[in-house]
Amino acid sequence: MFEVHAIDPERLPELLRVMPKAELHIHIEGSLEPELIFALAQRNGVSLPYADVAALRSAYAFSNLQSFLDLYYAGASVLLHAQDFYDMAWAYFEKAAADQVVRAELFFDPQTHTARGVPMGAVIEGLSRACRDAQTRLNISADLILCFLRHLSEEEALATLEAALPWREHFIGVGLDSSEVGHPPEKFARVFARARELGLHCVAHAGEEGPPAYIWGALDVLKVERIDHGVQAIHDAGLMQRLADSRMPLTVCPLSNLKLCVFKTLSEHNLGQILDAGLCVTLNSDDPAYFGGYLNDNYLQTFADLQLNAQHAYQLAANSIEASFAPEADKHRWLRELTTCFQSFEQRDGMPLRAG
Ligand code: HPA
Ligand code: ZN
């Protein structure tokens, strides 16, 4: 691990903003800003139960995961055509580029759309075209991860995976999201086995609100390569050891945890403890349009409230690159760029002020 030398703490926010980083936990439907929801509603003739953008935004006060999901699924109802999915993802990529995101792995929820009669092809083709343009126009490497809604049955998840297979080359993995408690990973053992057979990467939300047992289940039954959230692991010492020893990445989303009342305040978040325990933690935005911030907002607010330092910044950005499913050559290049970025901050600090 690159050892960070003295960097003026006052320059830490600037460093957080400009360092290259990967985002591995972003639900693309959760990047739909109220303004775009209203624009798409008008374009598609969908009526919304809110008078205007301000009224919708003022409904964004959540008490737990479910209270958020109800609004999140309602917001996604304006998405009908491939172009809508493209526009949503493109708006996210522009924000990600400004946040120096070099790699983005986007979750999408096909069942939210196919249940309303939207064709699978419209969803995947719109998102996939935005990913290709992100590479050519913004130099962001981007891929898609298809998520199953865990409040629905495993049969529906299996049918969704089969329905997506004509677009197999357009997504790199599968995930598991929506209402966690009462829907343990074991419910999806067969669909994840099928996904692994197909050579897809596997990740799952576990330990956001659910118990450590759900994280064990995701590891041992679903055989995931990353845990999304995972903050409840702190309550199980044996699990913490397993996660540390295996360098199993956790994609942690501090502003999401704050808005969904997983922690009362950001300063009570256990990110610092999980990092100090040696886990491969990454920072992510989850549903940035709903939780009050994109990736750099998560870095800036978390670092301020938990009093983290430049070494933590390097560690989190390096973890995000290491934990990504990008080609190894790209990961090595981004790690070199990350180190160069930090060195440039060190050197500038060390430079004597020029006279005159
Ligand atoms: N948790 C579970 N499901 C989700 C989330 C989340 O934070 N965001 C969108 N779907
Ligand atoms: Zn999530």
Side-chain angles (χ1 to χ4, degrees):
M1 175 59 58
F2 173 69
E3 213 179 296
V4 181
H5 294 111
I7 289 176
D8 181 352
E10 288 199 356
R11 297 189 64 209
L12 184 55
E14 184 193 349
L15 176 58
L16 292 170
R17 280 192 199 93
V18 304
M19 68 181 183
K21 53 185 80 74
E23 174 142 67
L24 308 178
H25 185 160
I26 157 85
H27 302 263
I28 199 60
E29 294 91 345
S31 74
L32 204 46
E33 293 285 348
E35 289 78 5
L36 189 52
I37 291 179
F38 270 85
L40 292 175
Q42 189 162 34
R43 189 159 98 187
N44 290 332
V46 175
S47 67
L48 293 168
Y50 297 92
D52 53 26
V53 164
L56 176 57
R57 210 181 277 282
S58 71
Y60 291 3
F62 312 114
S63 50
N64 55 25
L65 173 59
Q66 192 60 51
S67 64
F68 152 70
L69 289 171
D70 295 341
L71 248 99
Y72 163 83
Y73 295 128
S77 70
V78 300
L79 298 159
L80 296 185
H81 309 294
Q83 188 63 41
D84 305 336
F85 290 90
Y86 179 94
D87 292 345
M88 169 174 69
W90 189 254
Y92 164 72
F93 285 131
E94 287 189 317
K95 296 264 188 10
D99 283 357
Q100 300 302 318
V101 171
V102 294
R103 167 75 179 168
E105 298 180 9
L106 274 50
F107 293 144
F108 70 108
D109 289 339
Q111 288 161 292
T112 300
H113 314 299
T114 54
R116 297 179 290 112
V118 176
M120 181 69 80
V123 179
I124 300 185
E125 283 168 19
L127 295 176
S128 174
R129 187 160 58 85
C131 289
R132 285 197 301 277
D133 285 356
Q135 180 68 75
T136 55
R137 295 171 58 185
L138 299 171
N139 202 25
I140 296 176
S141 159
D143 278 303
L144 298 173
I145 296 178
L146 182 159
C147 285
F148 305 117
L149 299 181
R150 70 200 302 160
H151 67 275
L152 301 178
S153 70
E154 185 179 47
E155 285 66 33
E156 287 164 288
L158 279 161
T160 300
L161 180 55
E162 296 306 319
L165 288 185
W167 295 272
R168 166 66 186 86
E169 74 274 24
H170 295 290
F171 56 100
I172 61 164
V174 299
L176 186 63
D177 64 4
S178 189
S179 322
E180 185 183 9
V181 174
H183 302 285
E186 288 78 1
K187 180 178 162 187
F188 296 93
R190 289 180 308 155
V191 70
F192 272 71
R194 172 84 180 116
R196 291 196 309 274
E197 257 173 35
L198 290 163
L200 288 158
H201 289 291
C202 291
V203 302
H205 284 53
E208 178 183 14
E209 289 182 341
Y214 284 21
I215 303 176
W216 286 108
L219 296 173
D220 291 334
V221 179
L222 304 187
K223 305 194 193 310
V224 297
E225 298 158 77
R226 294 196 300 247
I227 295 285
D228 296 313
H229 292 294
V231 292
Q232 302 302 334
I234 201 95
H235 303 296
D236 182 334
L239 177 58
M240 290 290 281
Q241 195 63 52
R242 160 94 179 261
L243 294 167
D245 291 348
S246 58
R247 277 201 73 67
M248 176 61 58
L250 299 191
T251 62
V252 172
C253 309
L255 288 179
S256 163
N257 294 153
L258 178 66
K259 292 289 153 61
L260 300 188
C261 307
V262 175
F263 297 95
K264 276 204 285 296
T265 63
L266 212 44
S267 51
E268 288 167 74
H269 198 287
N270 63 15
L271 172 84
Q273 290 158 269
I274 307 180
L275 256 182
D276 289 346
L279 272 66
C280 182
V281 187
T282 69
L283 276 197
N284 306 273
S285 70
D286 208 6
D287 299 281
Y290 292 89
F291 299 149
Y294 285 78
L295 188 52
N296 280 359
D297 301 311
N298 273 273
Y299 272 97
L300 289 163
Q301 293 186 42
T302 304
F303 271 66
D305 286 21
L306 293 179
Q307 285 147 27
L308 301 179
N309 60 34
Q311 186 71 53
H312 293 120
Y314 186 89
Q315 181 78 60
L316 286 165
N319 288 351
S320 75
I321 293 166
E322 175 191 333
S324 86
F325 298 137
E328 288 301 317
D330 290 336
K331 290 161 67 159
H332 285 132
R333 190 179 74 254
W334 296 324
L335 275 175
R336 282 197 303 275
E337 289 169 6
L338 178 66
T339 303
T340 305
C341 172
F342 274 68
Q343 284 168 336
S344 76
F345 272 71
E346 290 177 348
Q347 283 165 4
R348 275 190 271 162
D349 281 345
M351 254 186 336
L353 286 174
R354 254 191 297 155

